Amino acid sequence: MKALITGITGQDGGYLAERLLADGYAVHGLVHEGDPQVTALLERCPHVAIQVGDLQDSPSLAAAIAASDPDEIYNLAGISSVAFSWEQPVLTADITALGAARLLDEARLLQSRRDRSVRFVQASSAEIFGAASGVQDEATPLAPTSPYGAAKAYAHQLCGLYRSVGVFASSLVLFNHESPRRPPTFVTRKITQTVARIAQGLEEQLVLGNLDARRDWGWAPDYVDAMVRAARAPQADDFVIATGEAHSVRDFALAAFARVGITDGLDRITVDPALVRPGDPPVLVGNAGKARNVLGWTPTVPFEELVGRMVDADLPA
Ligand code: GDP
């Protein structure tokens, strides 16, 4: 089997490449010219075949598809930050929304010129639901509140449209998923990195924004497993991928402090009002019941264990 992964140098792309290589796939990764993270990827996964291309450029996608002749296409690339999408809304639309359209259409063309189907998996995001209250599932109305969410919502809906014309395209609505490979721009890794430094006496305080925000944090390799299951499922569909449990930023920080034996964690936290986001949804939590029933998917790493793994990885060996 052959797979093409866009966004292969990101957290999920790396885990997915490792998983598919272990499953015996030929793995091709689309990277843009001069991507500084390719070296690290190839150190970890020397057998990945690199295809240089860009989601903004259809001919480069056609060339990458011709070179890789994929059975499965995983679209993980895109602008990954809500904040950045407000700075660059047009670029966000071009890469995250239209990029998915370009890739889906190349998948359709590929399928029309050969005798086997291609399976397309789109990494969507809980941001398509905006701040919808309650537990979110596949029936939750799309109501994005950022250019990032709007671009992801477009790509999500396009998957459904391509499905209706015979392309196997599944969109996975991924809630927050974390790992030691998360960059520290995300609160989880910021916490575990800083707590590890505090434990070593290198820093005093953990400076955060909204401590009350509650999020549904899962283990990234589990989310990659959901993508693989979706690609291999009998039918394409939309799936929410989440743990179903929400924890506050404060809970995350206290669990990280507890891991290094610091019991007065609350005294080590400072709130910087500049880090509090306007309109930050108080709670985001997903119901992955459909993925459980249809894909046999369940999250395998409970919250405390996830925090512990991330803290341990940030401590010196
Ligand atoms: P996001 O859900 O993809 O935006 O992931 P983040 O990890 O960036 O944010 C998760 C939650 O943590 C949001 O509710 C943030 O407002 C909250 N948060 C609180 N303090 C911080 C901080 O210092 N950095 C970040 N990135 N988020 C913070």
Side-chain angles (χ1 to χ4, degrees):
M1 294 287 278
K2 291 174 274 188
L4 176 65
I5 304 173
T6 76
I8 196 168
T9 55
Q11 168 187 264
D12 297 353
Y15 283 122
L16 179 59
E18 288 168 16
R19 163 70 188 272
L20 294 177
L21 287 167
D23 288 350
Y25 280 51
V27 175
H28 295 254
L30 183 85
V31 302
H32 53 78
E33 187 82 56
D35 184 334
Q37 293 172 299
V38 172
T39 314
L41 170 74
L42 289 177
E43 270 165 20
R44 216 177 253 146
C45 302
H47 298 298
V48 166
I50 297 295
Q51 307 292 338
V52 175
D54 195 323
L55 282 175
Q56 292 173 275
D57 176 42
S58 290
S60 77
L61 299 180
I65 284 182
S68 55
D69 188 35
D71 301 291
E72 296 171 6
I73 298 174
Y74 295 87
N75 185 28
L76 277 46
I79 299 299
S80 61
S81 143
V82 168
F84 182 78
S85 80
W86 281 110
E87 287 164 30
Q88 295 281 353
V90 176
L91 183 67
T92 301
D94 199 11
I95 296 176
T96 300
L98 294 182
R102 294 183 186 104
L103 196 60
L104 269 169
D105 209 52
E106 291 301 333
R108 182 182 64 81
L109 292 171
L110 172 71
Q111 191 163 288
S112 66
R113 67 175 178 260
R114 69 177 194 191
D115 58 2
R116 62 184 206 281
S117 70
V118 62
R119 295 179 163 231
F120 188 102
V121 176
Q122 166 71 13
S124 190
S125 157
E127 290 288 332
I128 66 176
F129 300 139
S133 58
V135 179
Q136 301 171 340
D137 63 19
E138 293 79 5
T140 302
L142 305 196
T145 52
S146 68
Y148 172 82
K152 283 285 192 189
Y154 173 88
H156 176 78
Q157 290 186 312
L158 212 60
C159 282
L161 293 173
Y162 271 73
R163 214 154 51 222
S164 71
V165 295
V167 176
F168 185 107
S170 285
S171 182
L172 268 57
V173 184
L174 307 169
F175 280 65
N176 298 51
H177 47 289
E178 315 296 318
S179 79
R181 299 185 194 170
R182 219 21 163 172
T185 44
F186 289 85
V187 77
T188 53
R189 185 76 197 292
K190 176 178 175 180
I191 291 171
T192 62
Q193 236 180 24
T194 310
V195 165
R197 288 177 61 77
I198 291 173
Q200 296 169 79
L202 301 171
E203 242 174 280
E204 292 282 318
Q205 287 287 307
L206 172 60
V207 182
L208 294 171
N210 182 6
L211 299 182
D212 294 320
R214 294 169 67 79
R215 292 291 178 271
D216 183 331
W217 282 297
W219 176 239
D222 281 345
Y223 290 56
V224 158
D225 175 55
M227 296 178 203
V228 172
R229 286 172 185 264
R232 297 175 188 174
Q235 276 173 4
D237 209 337
D238 297 332
F239 298 99
V240 162
I241 307 298
T243 71
E245 262 182 49
H247 295 269
S248 67
V249 171
R250 182 185 294 100
D251 288 345
F252 196 105
L254 291 180
F257 278 119
R259 183 71 168 197
V260 296
I262 294 176
T263 50
D264 64 342
L266 271 188
D267 298 337
R268 315 277 188 127
I269 300 173
T270 308
V271 171
D272 177 353
L275 294 174
V276 177
R277 300 177 187 169
D280 200 27
V283 51
L284 290 178
V285 59
N287 172 5
K290 181 174 169 186
R292 187 171 56 244
N293 294 337
V294 178
L295 304 177
W297 179 83
T298 44
T300 65
V301 181
F303 177 71
E304 306 266 325
E305 173 69 21
L306 185 158
V307 178
R309 287 186 190 185
M310 289 181 67
V311 172
D312 292 354
D314 279 326
L315 288 167

